[in-house]
């Protein structure tokens, strides 16, 4: 059967099915019987061939467009490593980033951070939890509170926080990396580092132009949940072991307007190793850059009791070392300082002193106001 005959047969089938096949070259129909009208309405074989050719060309173009789209999608998937499964090597040895996310093992930390950010699981619009801190209880325990700005403890921490804020905001002459990361630690347990970290964080939050994130980095003995009445999970350790939560998911907002808390998180069998891991280093870099306008205060483990605090110290811009008066020996202080020699800014704070000059001046001004 010739192409013309095939075209004519196909058009006859279309006509019987009720399809329109009008062609501009077909002659108009005149008055005749039904059979004659049917024949006159049918296109010429040449027109049928042209119509079939046009339909075939349209189908071929559509098929080519679909194939091109498939090739483009394949090329995009090949060029976008973000779709790779966690743990898959990306042009190098695979390492586990924060949250268990795979990141490329490279020498350039900026590249590693970019890959980490690319793979980080982020939930858009996630809202931090919120708790109401019992300020009256904190005040009774000797802590700084926003509703009691005029107290000896408040004045003492005003003196302590001032150089820290200046360094964090780049006002001082010293320009250091991660200057908004402040670690509060001590040589030995029981010297008051958690007491200092919480007071420092609240005092900074009372500033007009400073916000604070308080991180419970003492994962072996977390005290902030009990002091503040906040849940302990999810938190820091969860960010290091899970890829289904983001930093914003773990933050806890408080009724102290400019203070947020990152708890230690769920108990982990290898918690101390996690603090010394590369995951932790990348998380610290993320915190320093993601919250560059915020001062981040870490309640760290003691320097001589664990090795994790020393690793954390290497990533900090500032370190506040708490020394208990009439308790910590000179040798312990010297040994602790030797472990953090790499940090450019180390501030010493004497805690548990019976009397301070700030306290003397506070009593003088308090008496003057009462008279």
């Amino acid at each position: 059967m010739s192409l013309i005959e095939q075209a004519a047969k196909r058009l006859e089938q279309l006509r019987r099915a009720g399809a329109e096949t009008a062609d501009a070259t077909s002659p108009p129909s005149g008055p005749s019987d039904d059979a004659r009208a049917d024949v006159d309405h049918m296109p010429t074989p040449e027109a049928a061939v042209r119509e079939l050719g046009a339909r075939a060309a349209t189908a071929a173009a559509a098929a080519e467009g679909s194939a091109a789209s498939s090739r483009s999608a394949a090329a995009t998937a090949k060029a976008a490593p973000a779709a790779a499964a966690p743990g898959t090597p990306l042009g190098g040895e695979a390492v586990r980033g924060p949250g268990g996310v795979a990141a490329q093992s490279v020498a350039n930390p900026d590249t590693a951070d970019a890959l980490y950010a690319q793979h980080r699981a982020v939930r858009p619009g996630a809202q931090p939890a919120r708790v109401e801190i019992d300020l009256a209880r904190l005040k009774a325990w000797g802590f700084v509170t926003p509703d009691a700005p005029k107290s000896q403890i408040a004045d003492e921490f005003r003196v302590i926080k001032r150089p820290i804020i200046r360094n964090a905001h780049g006002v001082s002459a010293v320009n250091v990396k991660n200057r908004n990361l402040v670690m509060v630690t001590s040589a030995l347990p029981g010297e008051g580092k958690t007491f200092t970290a919480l007071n420092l964080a609240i005092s900074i939050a009372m500033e007009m132009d400073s916000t604070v994130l308080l991180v419970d980095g003492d994962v072996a003995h977390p005290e902030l949940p009990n002091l503040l009445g906040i849940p302990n999970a999810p938190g820091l350790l969860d960010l290091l072991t899970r890829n289904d939560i983001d930093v914003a998911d773990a933050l806890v907002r408080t009724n102290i307007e400019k203070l947020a808390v990152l708890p230690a998180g769920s108990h982990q069998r290898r918690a101390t190793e996690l603090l010394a891991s590369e995951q932790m280093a990348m998380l610290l870099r993320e915190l320093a850059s993601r919250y560059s306008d915020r001062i981040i205060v870490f309640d760290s483990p003691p320097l001589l009791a664990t090795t994790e605090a020393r690793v954390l110290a290497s990533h900090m811009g500032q370190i506040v070392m708490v020394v208990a008066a009439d308790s910590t020996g000179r040798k312990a202080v010297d040994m602790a300082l030797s472990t953090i020699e790499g940090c450019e800014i180390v501030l010493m704070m004497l805690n548990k002193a019976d009397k301070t000059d700030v306290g003397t001046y506070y009593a003088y001004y308090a008496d003057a106001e009462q008279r």
Side-chain angles (χ1 to χ4, degrees), residues 18 67 77 80 90 112-113 155 205 209 218 227 235 259 263 270 284 286 292 300 306 312 333 346:
L90 303 175
D113 289 344
D155 283 346
D209 53 358
D218 194 353
L227 290 173
L259 175 66
R270 298 175 62 246
L284 292 175
E286 182 195 7
S292 58
S300 161
T306 64
L312 283 177
V333 173
V346 178

Side-chain angles (χ1 to χ4, degrees), residues 20-292:
E20 283 191 14
T21 57
D23 188 278
T25 61
S26 300
S29 61
S32 179
D33 56 20
D34 293 338
R36 180 69 179 175
D38 288 340
V39 173
D40 289 341
H41 278 294
M42 289 182 63
T44 63
E46 292 80 6
V49 171
R50 287 195 300 273
E51 182 170 341
L52 286 177
R55 293 181 181 181
T58 302
E64 178 63 22
S66 177
S69 298
S70 299
R71 289 194 298 271
S72 175
T76 302
K78 185 177 181 180
T88 303
L90 303 175
E93 180 186 357
V95 297
R96 305 301 295 179
V101 180
Q104 190 175 11
S105 178
V106 291
N108 187 345
D110 294 334
T111 306
D113 289 344
L115 285 170
Y116 161 59
Q118 187 179 40
H119 286 262
R120 194 79 169 98
V122 177
R123 276 182 22 209
Q127 292 296 323
R130 180 181 175 85
V131 298
E132 292 288 323
I133 298 175
D134 190 340
L135 299 181
R137 185 177 65 168
L138 281 184
K139 183 179 178 181
W141 287 348
F143 286 91
V144 176
T145 56
D147 57 348
K150 293 183 178 182
S151 63
Q152 179 176 339
I153 190 69
D155 283 346
E156 288 175 345
F157 273 93
R158 284 192 182 98
V159 176
I160 296 169
K161 72 179 176 181
R162 195 57 55 202
I164 296 173
I165 295 174
R166 290 176 60 84
N167 293 331
H169 292 324
V171 179
S172 65
V174 180
N175 188 11
V176 298
K177 186 179 180 181
N178 296 342
R179 60 189 179 217
N180 61 328
L181 299 185
V182 182
M183 185 175 89
V184 181
T185 187
S186 60
L188 301 168
E191 298 190 68
K193 61 177 186 57
T194 300
F195 175 84
T196 301
L198 180 53
N199 273 320
L200 181 62
I202 295 176
S203 183
I204 295 175
M206 293 165 60
E207 292 286 311
M208 297 296 294
D209 53 358
S210 294
T211 57
V212 185
L213 171 60
L214 177 59
V215 180
D216 194 346
D218 194 353
V219 295
H221 301 282
E223 297 183 26
L224 291 179
N226 293 331
L227 290 173
L228 301 178
I230 61 176
N232 196 36
L236 177 62
L237 293 177
D238 300 280
L239 292 175
L240 300 176
T241 56
R242 294 171 53 185
N243 62 358
D244 61 335
I245 61 172
D246 180 61
V247 174
D249 301 324
L251 296 186
V252 178
R253 294 185 300 171
T254 70
N255 52 324
I256 300 177
E257 182 181 0
K258 297 180 181 180
L259 175 66
V261 181
L262 177 60
S266 305
H267 176 73
Q268 301 289 337
R269 184 172 54 87
R270 298 175 62 246
T272 53
E273 286 80 3
L274 285 171
L275 289 186
S277 66
E278 181 60 23
Q279 294 99 309
M280 185 64 182
M282 285 191 287
L283 177 60
L284 292 175
R285 288 195 289 266
E286 182 195 7
L287 289 174
S289 58
R290 183 172 178 176
Y291 300 100
S292 58

